[in-house]
Structure formats: structure tokens, C-alpha cells
Amino acid sequence: MMIIDVLNIVAPVALAVFLIGVGVRMGRFALALVTRRRFRGVTPTFERAPRRLGFFEALHAVLFGPYRHFYRRANPTWGRGYLFYHVAIITEVIGYTLSAIIVFAHILLGRPVPDVAHHLEGSFNYTPANLLAIIFGNGEPLQAHFLFGAFAPYFVGITWIAVGFAVVGNLHLMITLLRKRSGAVVADIDPPAHGLRTPGRLPWDRLLVRTIIFCIIWTELFARLHLFPGVVYVHALLGMTLFTLLPFTYLFHMVYNFLAVYYAVQRRMVRTIA
């Protein structure tokens, strides 16, 4: 298939662009950490300082506080989409990461991998297109059995739930975006903010990324249901497109998110943020 040839060409270029982009962004992030003064906590004269939080209490506040206190109230449709989509994307990213680790472990050990195009359980087809079809097609029977063995049915079941969350969540986010309500306040946040409303916007980068993610979700559904032959390669190509854009769009938070969460937790633990 022609798309296999395209994917073999695009994948190495996408990986190179991704690594360069992430390197530049992370370099700037590291420089900011080195040159910025570290927070030492609240000053002794600070009145009514927020109480210190334990690690798990602070982590819960960081992960769920924004949704409970703002998103759910300010924009319910977007808030639901935000919650469902992030449950899905975290599950999916973990699945893809595990799949990639397993695939490359087999390559390093010189072991065979499936040939997705020819439906062979064992081959030495280490081309980028085939490896990506294994990783991004980890919910299909051939790939799932290779990757997870006896655990494959459980993995597929769990990720089916994630795909359902992804469909529902992304539809909520797409509807909000197309109605120009991204970032809008459409309901009361709390009594003091009664009647406060702010208009939304339709940023091109979010529209582009959200559309690609929308197509990724549906091509995964089509691949799992075997509705169109070779659709897993379209799914993989869209995934690599998003992979390439990641360092240059708001999606970059997925790379440094663990660091961001760590520092946000630390700020709450030392009472520099309420």
C-alpha cells in the first residue's frame, strides 16, 4: 500500500523534528529552573497563610482542584470533556508507551515481530511503518497477543473503555471549540462571580490539534472493528503527525507535565499557593 511507503519516509523525519523541538523547549525550561530563585515558602509576616498540605493531599489538589473549583462550574460541557478526555489520553499514552518498550526490546534482542500487512505472527519486518502499526494498533488481536500475551484480553478491554471515554470527551471538546466557547465562562463559578461571563475563542492551533485527535480516535475505532483494511496505517500516520506538532503546540505540556505536577505539588506543600 502507498500509505506504508509514505509512513516509512515520514516516521524518521517526524522523530527527528520531535527530538529537536523537545530538546530546544526542555533546554529553555532547564535554563529557567537554574536561573529562577527557588520558593522557600511564605514569609513570616504573611497573614492567613494557606495551611501546609501533605504530599498526597497536595497531589489531589493539583490534579482535581482546577476541575472541581473552576472548569466544572465555569463551562460544564468543556469540563466534562476535559475530564473524560484526560482519563482516556492518560490510559492510551501509557498503552502506547508500554507497546513501544516491548517492541524495541524485541528488536534489541533480535526477536521476530508480527508483520501487520501480511497478518504474520513472526517476521523480521523492522520497517517504521510495521513497527508503528504494532504500537498504534495494540488493540487489534494480532498485535495485542504479541505485545501482552495472556494479558491481551484484559488490555483490550481496558483500552476499549478508554476509547469510549475518548469519543465522548473529544466530542464535548470539539462542540465547545466549534461554538467558540473554548476558554469561555458560561455559568456562575461562585456567588461572588454571579453573572460574570467571558467570551470564548477559536484558536487555530487548538482547532488543528483537536481535529487530528478526533481523526485519530475514529481511525482507532475503525481499526479495532476491522471496517477498513489498512486503516491502522492511517491511524499511525495521524499519530506521527501529532507527534511532530507536539513540541510546537500547547500539547507540549504532555512532555513536561510530570515536572509541572511535581513543582505544583511542592508549591502547595510549602504554602506558596492556596
Side-chain angles (χ1 to χ4, degrees), residues 218-229:
W218 285 97
T219 51
E220 178 163 1
L221 270 174
F222 295 153
R224 284 173 175 247
L225 296 173
H226 308 287
L227 295 180
F228 304 103

Side-chain angles (χ1 to χ4, degrees), residues 139-219:
E140 299 179 53
L142 176 65
Q143 294 95 306
H145 178 73
F146 163 74
L147 292 167
F148 303 106
F151 187 72
Y154 302 101
F155 175 83
V156 173
I158 292 169
T159 50
W160 260 119
I161 296 173
V163 170
F165 272 92
V167 170
V168 174
N170 204 57
L171 281 174
H172 277 70
L173 295 176
M174 281 293 288
I175 290 170
T176 304
L177 190 62
L178 293 175
R179 294 178 68 188
K180 293 186 178 180
R181 288 189 171 181
S182 177
V185 175
V186 299
D188 291 341
I189 301 172
D190 51 29
H194 176 71
L196 177 66
R197 301 291 184 268
T198 59
R201 54 198 178 90
L202 185 62
W204 70 268
D205 60 333
R206 291 184 178 268
L207 180 61
L208 173 64
V209 169
R210 187 59 52 199
T211 302
I212 294 173
I213 293 173
F214 185 82
C215 294
I216 287 174
I217 293 169
W218 285 97
T219 51

Side-chain angles (χ1 to χ4, degrees), residues 57-271:
E57 193 178 4
L59 180 62
H60 183 273
V62 169
L63 295 179
F64 298 102
Y67 169 73
R68 289 190 294 108
H69 299 307
F70 181 77
Y71 300 135
R72 183 180 62 181
R73 301 174 185 177
N75 196 328
T77 303
W78 194 91
R80 286 191 299 272
Y82 173 90
L83 182 63
F84 294 156
Y85 171 74
H86 277 84
V87 169
I89 198 65
I90 291 170
T91 307
E92 291 286 333
V93 168
I94 291 172
Y96 290 143
T97 303
L98 288 174
S99 301
I101 291 171
I102 293 169
V103 166
F104 288 111
H106 277 263
I107 293 174
L108 290 174
L109 296 172
R111 294 175 179 173
V113 298
D115 188 315
V116 177
H118 296 94
H119 305 287
L120 299 175
E121 291 188 4
S123 76
F124 288 92
N125 184 356
Y126 292 165
T127 59
N130 188 60
L131 299 180
L132 290 172
I134 297 171
I135 295 168
F136 283 99
N138 57 17
E140 299 179 53
L142 176 65
Q143 294 95 306
H145 178 73
F146 163 74
L147 292 167
F148 303 106
F151 187 72
Y154 302 101
F155 175 83
V156 173
I158 292 169
T159 50
W160 260 119
I161 296 173
V163 170
F165 272 92
V167 170
V168 174
N170 204 57
L171 281 174
H172 277 70
L173 295 176
M174 281 293 288
I175 290 170
T176 304
L177 190 62
L178 293 175
R179 294 178 68 188
K180 293 186 178 180
R181 288 189 171 181
S182 177
V185 175
V186 299
D188 291 341
I189 301 172
D190 51 29
H194 176 71
L196 177 66
R197 301 291 184 268
T198 59
R201 54 198 178 90
L202 185 62
W204 70 268
D205 60 333
R206 291 184 178 268
L207 180 61
L208 173 64
V209 169
R210 187 59 52 199
T211 302
I212 294 173
I213 293 173
F214 185 82
C215 294
I216 287 174
I217 293 169
W218 285 97
T219 51
E220 178 163 1
L221 270 174
F222 295 153
R224 284 173 175 247
L225 296 173
H226 308 287
L227 295 180
F228 304 103
V231 72
V232 68
Y233 295 103
V234 179
H235 178 63
L237 183 60
L238 289 168
M240 292 307 296
T241 302
L242 197 65
F243 196 66
T244 308
L245 292 173
L246 191 146
F248 311 103
T249 63
Y250 71 94
L251 283 177
F252 186 68
H253 76 274
M254 293 177 64
V255 175
Y256 68 77
N257 196 48
F258 292 104
L259 280 175
V261 168
Y262 170 79
Y263 281 105
V265 168
Q266 291 297 311
R267 288 197 298 272
R268 282 169 172 80
M269 290 177 67
V270 299
R271 302 187 297 172

